[in-house]
Amino acid sequence: MLEHVHPDYEPEDLLAYDCANESPLFSELVNSLAEDMSCPSTTNSKTWLGTLLIAGKECQVQLVVTSDEMIDEG
């Protein structure tokens, strides 16, 4: 993950890099998901992080790496 940055972005401006620098586990998860993306037919890879009760709703929390339906911060 840390070796591959979209050319439109600076690594130090990306929240993912801040999280990876703070948490080796986060970095390991993202790198593992990114490796799964090396298969040409794979458009997303995700891992379940947990279920939270938010405002009375059960919400699943996942970390997703995707090349399908790209969603930018805007």
Side-chain angles (χ1 to χ4, degrees):
M1 176 189 92
L2 300 176
E3 298 83 27
H4 305 285
V5 179
H6 190 285
D8 291 347
Y9 300 99
E10 295 296 327
E12 59 272 5
D13 294 335
L14 301 175
L15 183 57
Y17 282 83
D18 291 340
C19 292
N21 287 332
E22 292 292 323
S23 171
L25 177 57
F26 179 83
S27 183
E28 182 180 323
L29 286 171
V30 172
N31 284 323
S32 176
L33 293 173
E35 285 177 21
D36 293 344
M37 296 295 292
S38 64
C39 177
S41 62
T42 301
T43 57
N44 65 62
S45 182
K46 58 188 171 183
T47 189
W48 178 76
L49 300 178
T51 301
L52 301 175
L53 190 62
I54 302 172
K57 277 187 177 178
E58 283 188 0
C59 300
Q60 289 187 355
V61 179
Q62 297 180 345
L63 178 60
V64 179
V65 173
T66 185
S67 63
D68 192 28
E69 298 179 32
M70 294 296 289
I71 300 170
D72 205 350
E73 65 274 0

